[in-house]
């Protein structure tokens, strides 16, 4: 790690000398050079300054993926503002929670979402709202091309907050994980090194850029190595395969790999130009790992991370990539499998993964209690992921301490859905669980106990209410009415039993 504390300054240091080189190409064929990246980022930074955004202010952004969206992120880094990206699937009520909690000084949304955003912003006092659309237009960009750049890169200290991402961790309502410049720099540096990124690489980038995986991992490696990106607006297996021949690295969640496998065009010759396939965000099934190797000759490299920590472990670039494991701790990151007092367990013993290193979050936004709960006295962060270490030091994740669901790489917290279902007329209670799904890995389903089993409420009405409030990926793929839910002696619903009973419901 070099002395530079601002992540954007570190990125600038890594850019190729020839700024006319292409930094990224969109799927529509638009080529963006490094000089355009630097100039537009500088102008956006200046625009943010004109709008009154100051170091430490939150800039909440819910926009479609585009080069300008990426420059807006870099502009926030440049001026020391805290970048707060939000999933484009979030509805008005979800946004209202994040805005009320984070109190952003500026909210940037798409023209489509802005009426809803303005309504929320009105209730928040002085939040400014600007638009940025996928084509690079919008009120944030008005007159930008002729704007003189007046702001340079702010010298930040390593533990200044660069970005804030909302996550529920293991419990409770979403909390803003404060990620520092040092955390982002150290993690991007270690991954660039470990995965052998160079300026010769071309990264096929199809992930969303509102999460750690697409923004910090993928873009971080590209920026620090000078690799070019083929920047797709979203993942589409057909379009991705159209660009395989030009790319050398691909990163995705397991659903991307199962969708690629479902496409007959995937074979060894289609993947001949690739040197590395990386998977993460959710468990990669052994069958996906093996089928991918049989079809393409490539062994997927699985790694493991978390919003709060960035990446913690990785299978090796050289050496054995062991199926069913997430590899070994990355350099500079200490990891232990611990019992519930934080004591290290022996290899083979199952416990919770705890990690420590420069990659860790600074804390949860305005939530000292949850921050204290998440850390041990000796500085280790408690991930909530349940695992054991094999005799060679590879980490095998076997479950999660919470009943969080990961569907297609997105985390879903049952409580949030259960609370809404339980408020519906005719419902006594509900249990939301994740069950195996051929495309999403896990799918959300709801088991509902109606007040009158002979006359259960209309599931279409419950669905409609859920859709008004929650992002689409959280909506149950099925709702089942039952007379009773299984309980333990304390009266708590036994979700493990429900997961077992409905395990086959959505399988092939
Ligand atoms: C979309 N839908 C989903 C999901 N995505 N349902 C369940 N799970 C999902 N993940 C629903 C929509 O609500 C909609 O429902 C229908 O599917 C079609 O929506 P569309 O947007 O067209 O779907 P898609 O394009 O097929 O998207 C699926 C996807 C996407 C490509 C797998 O979800 C995706 O890109 N996931 C990646 C997430 C990711 O980047 N995760 C990293 C975060 P309806 O038709 O009923 O309206 S985790 C992270 O960063 C940590 C640190 C880590 O370790 O990496
Ligand atoms: P998030 O809160 O979105 O950052 O999700 C992080 C969670 O995703 C982790 O705590 C793990 O439960 C899960 N995760 C990430 N990568 C993997 C992986 N390779 N295998 C299994 N689970 C993973």
């Amino acid at each position: 790690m070099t002395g530079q504390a601002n992540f954007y300054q570190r990125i600038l240091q890594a850019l190729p000398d020839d700024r006319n080189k292409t930094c990224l190409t969109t799927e529509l064929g638009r080529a963006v050079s490094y000089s355009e990246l630097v100039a537009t980022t500088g102008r956006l930074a200046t625009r943010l300054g004109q709008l009154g955004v100051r170091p430490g202010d939150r800039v909440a952004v819910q926009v479609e993926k585009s080069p300008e969206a990426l420059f807006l992120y870099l502009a926030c880094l440049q001026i020391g503002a805290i970048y707060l990206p939000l999933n484009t699937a979030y509805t008005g009520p979800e946004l209202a929670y994040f805005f009320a909690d984070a109190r952003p000084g500026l909210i940037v949304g798409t023209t489509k979402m802005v009426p809803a955003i303005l309504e929320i912003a009105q209730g928040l006092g002085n939040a400014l709202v600007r638009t940025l659309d996928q084509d690079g237009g919008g009120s944030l960009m008005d007159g930008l091309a002729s704007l003189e750049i007046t702001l340079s890169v702010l010298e930040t200290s390593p533990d200044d907050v660069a970005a804030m991402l909302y996550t529920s961790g293991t419990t409770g309502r979403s909390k803003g994980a404060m990620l520092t410049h040092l955390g982002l720099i150290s993690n991007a540096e270690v991954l660039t090194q470990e995965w052998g990124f160079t300026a010769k690489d071309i990264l096929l980038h199809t992930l969303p850029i509102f999460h750690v995986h697409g923004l910090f991992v993928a873009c971080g490696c590209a920026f620090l190595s000078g690799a070019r990106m083929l920047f797709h607006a979203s993942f589409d297996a057909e379009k991705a395969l159209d660009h395989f021949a030009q790319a050398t690295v691909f990163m995705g969640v397991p659903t991307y790999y199962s969708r690629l496998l479902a496409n007959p065009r995937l074979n060894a010759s289609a993947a001949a130009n690739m040197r590395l396939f990386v998977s993460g965000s959710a468990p990669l099934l052994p069958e996906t790992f093996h089928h991918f190797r049989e079809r393409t000759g490539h062994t997927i490299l699985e790694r493991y991370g978390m919003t709060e920590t960035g990446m913690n472990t990785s299978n090796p670039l050289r050496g054995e990539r062991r199926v069913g494991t997430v590899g070994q701790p990355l350099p500079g990151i200490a990891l232990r499998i611990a019992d519930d007092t934080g004591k290290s367990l022996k290899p083979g013993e199952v416990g919770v993964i705890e990690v420590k290193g420069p990659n860790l979050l600074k804390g949860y936004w305005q939530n000292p209690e949850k921050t204290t709960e998440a850390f041990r006295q000796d500085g280790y962060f408690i991930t909530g992921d349940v695992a054991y270490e094999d005799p060679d030091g590879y980490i095998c994740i076997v479950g999660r301490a919470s009943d969080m669901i990961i569907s297609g790489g997105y985390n879903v917290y049952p409580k949030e859905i259960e609370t809404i279902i339980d408020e519906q007329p005719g419902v006594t209670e509900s249990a939301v669980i994740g069950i195996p799904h051929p495309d999403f890995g896990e799918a959300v389903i709801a088991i509902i106990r109606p007040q009158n089993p002979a006359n259960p409420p209309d599931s279409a009405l419950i669905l409609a209410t859920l859709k008004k409030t929650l992002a689409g990926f959280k909506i149950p793929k099925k709702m089942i009415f039952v007379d009773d839910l299984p309980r333990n002696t304390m009266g708590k619903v036994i979700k493990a039993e429900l997961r077992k009973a409905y395990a086959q419901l959505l399988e092939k």
Side-chain angles (χ1 to χ4, degrees), residues 167 211 279-284 302-308 326 383 385 397 400 404 406 411 413:
T167 170
H211 274 305
S279 175
S281 307
L284 182 71
E302 186 172 8
R303 58 51 174 187
Y304 153 73
M306 210 178 168
T307 299
E308 286 92 331
V326 293
T383 66
D385 290 309
I397 298 180
R400 290 167 216 132
M404 177 184 90
I406 306 185
N411 294 1
Y413 302 93

